[in-house]
Amino acid sequence: MAHTVRPSRLLKNLNAKIAAVPMMLTAVVVFFGFTLWTVIFSFTNSRMLPRSEWVGFEQYERLWSTRRWLVSIENLAIYGFLMLVLSLVLGFLLAALLDQRIRFEDGFRTIFLYPYAVSFIVTGLVWQWLLDPEYGLQKAVRSLGFTSFTLDPLYDPNLVIYGVLIAGLWHGSGLVMCLMLAGLRGIDEDVWKASRVDGIPAWKTYLFIVIPMMRPVLVTTLVLVTAGIIKLYDLIIAQTGGGPGIASEVPAKFVFDAMFVSQNLAQGFAASTMMLVAVIFVIIPWAYLEFGGKKNG
Amino acid sequence: MADATFTHTTPRRIWPADAAGPRPRKRFSQRNIIIYSLLAVLALYYLLPLYVMMVTSLKGMPEIALGNIFAPPTEITFEPWVKAWSTVCTGLNCDGLSRGFWNSVKITVPSVFFSIAIASVNGYALSLWRFKGANVFFTILIIGAFIPYQVMIYPMVILLREIGIYGDLSGLVLVHTIFGMPILTLLFRNYFSSVPEELFKAARVDGAGFWAIYFRIMLPMALPILVVAVILQTTAIWNDFLFGVIFSRPTNYPMTVQLNNIVNSVQGVKEYNVNMAATLLSALVPLTIYLISGKLFVRGIAAGAVKG
């Protein structure tokens, strides 16, 4: 390796070190320092301005007894679980369909992926319009003669998160399809030949041979989709604004409102620290699976 | 048709394992009918919103109130587009979404430039100069890509306020440059790692220094990955909402924030046609990039996939 050839003294490669100063500052000050700062200040009683009066876990106790936070967590759990399962299923289905040597493959792929190019704001607004009970899909189907047809999730506190889910799936499943397709194309043709010779039906080959072989792609996709789910914010703002009432609140919105609207900084810090903890729970097992094995072997 | 152009411009079937699924024999086999009808139904779900946005934006309000959202406009009017672009009000300003558009341009162009400039130098230094400790910073950077922004936002507000650029465009550009750094650095590091070491060594023997090698050899070689990075960053920054709403003041709001304010404003009569025209207007830039770039866009997200 090159770095063993070149002796590394402080003045060696000085230009390279100077050039990397912005990266060092970003890594140390922003990603490490800022995160630490927020975690530390979540143990204070800061309200309008950050204060350094230590209150222990008081903010966390308050957070977990706040109804709005509990609703946020519940929503994120429902949305997250369904989004993970459905986007993986839908993405895989699309990828498998595109992988059948079909015509217009690029055209179909363009159609399935374009929502990923537009913002969550656009996504939220157009689905708000489509799901509008007075003008949208409900009215269109009713005008066909199905007068009792109901599709009005956005104004029903029990259903609103599923309305958001429809929009989230529309936006994100193309990405999953793309990753899955790359995974499918990486599978050796011989696997298919062998299973055909043995007379195994295609669906069984997918389920018991191909999908297990795609484990690395599946893990990456899982981590990516999860990271996106935890950040869920813009879509809610555009589509429901957290309503009706607080029925579609999510943690990222809770943090924003605590910090910038209700000036309850420490609650925002505590809530964002909880988000960080959630991410750590996802990342550590993944990092262990991905990199842990290699170091030992 | 878009389909045709994509088929012609992209190299197909790179290796035989392409499309490894069971092969169709006949054109109209039962299997093919199932596949194509499934694809058609799914395509409908993805295309429906775009279609509805388009037809709604071309109708007058009376037609929207009476008719069906899927019905094509009986009388096409471009008035909603004109109004959305130049006269619709947000707060006290009534100069339309054009303000947000130009703000977004003013935010996106320097942000894309600076984030790529810094990240390409990072990637170059990390892959070819490998000084001691570099990987520690790189690891922090990559882990940082997974940290929810909410955790770092408030200290960032304090920092920008202390420097005196909180609310300015320059502050927002700095934020985009910082938070775009992990993925872009990774992108460039991986690219420069594939550059033959001999090329680099030969330039060193010839006496070229850090910057000479970067500007004369590496940057021209990096053109393909530069294009991918530009696509990735332009789309991401154009579509950003969170940073825009936190780090800019109302006169500087990017298009996404202004769009949301227009459509979700509680005052006045809702003009759905203007709303949909405004929504389409702000989707136009990323959609154009997506349609023009094709495979390169996919490469960008594949690179993003490594990071998250």
Side-chain angles (χ1 to χ4, degrees), chain A residues 59-73:
Chain A
Q59 296 293 348
Y60 291 91
E61 281 164 26
R62 237 180 83 203
L63 183 69
W64 284 99
S65 57
T66 307
R67 209 177 90 79
R68 213 180 130 195
W69 174 253
L70 296 174
V71 171
S72 303
I73 293 290

Side-chain angles (χ1 to χ4, degrees), chain A residues 75-139:
Chain A
N75 279 335
L76 194 66
I78 297 172
Y79 176 88
F81 175 75
L82 290 174
M83 182 71 186
L84 263 181
V85 174
L86 294 177
S87 70
L88 281 174
V89 170
L90 190 59
F92 186 82
L93 178 72
L94 290 172
L97 285 171
L98 287 186
D99 198 33
Q100 306 299 317
R101 307 205 166 188
I102 57 155
R103 286 162 157 270
F104 314 119
E105 185 198 314
D106 291 323
F108 277 115
R109 194 179 32 210
T110 306
I111 291 172
F112 298 141
L113 188 60
Y114 89 88
Y116 192 72
V118 305
S119 62
F120 272 124
I121 297 296
V122 168
T123 306
L125 294 178
V126 68
W127 280 98
Q128 185 194 58
W129 172 234
L130 277 164
L131 296 174
D132 189 296
E134 272 177 71
Y135 297 98
L137 282 163
Q138 175 174 294
K139 185 191 177 195

Side-chain angles (χ1 to χ4, degrees), chain A residues 6 26 38 99-101 103 106 109-110 113-114 117 129 135 137 139 166 170 173 185 189 192 224 238, chain B residues 12 19-20 23 27 31 36 45-46 50 56 65 67 69-70 128 151 181 239 264 272 286 290 295 308:
Chain A
R6 287 193 285 272
T26 301
T38 301
D99 198 33
Q100 306 299 317
R101 307 205 166 188
R103 286 162 157 270
D106 291 323
R109 194 179 32 210
T110 306
L113 188 60
Y114 89 88
W129 172 234
Y135 297 98
L137 282 163
K139 185 191 177 195
I166 296 175
W170 179 78
S173 45
R185 297 271 153 99
E189 173 90 351
W192 279 105
L224 260 184
Chain B
R12 291 175 62 84
R23 278 172 233 186
R27 262 266 183 92
R31 208 179 131 264
Y36 284 107
Y45 168 55
Y46 290 89
L50 190 62
T56 307
I69 46 162
F70 299 116
L128 293 166
V151 184
M181 206 184 284
N239 286 342
N264 282 329
Y272 299 104
Y290 172 67
K295 285 261 157 94

Side-chain angles (χ1 to χ4, degrees), chain A residues 30 32-44 60 255 259 265-274 276, chain B residues 148-156:
Chain A
V30 179
F32 185 75
F34 284 10
T35 304
L36 194 68
W37 189 96
T38 301
V39 174
I40 290 172
F41 274 82
S42 73
F43 293 101
T44 66
Y60 291 91
V255 170
M259 285 181 186
L265 281 179
Q267 277 292 291
F269 297 151
S272 61
T273 305
M274 292 315 304
L276 180 65
Chain B
Y149 296 138
Q150 281 76 12
V151 184
M152 297 173 279
I153 279 175
Y154 201 82
M156 192 57 126

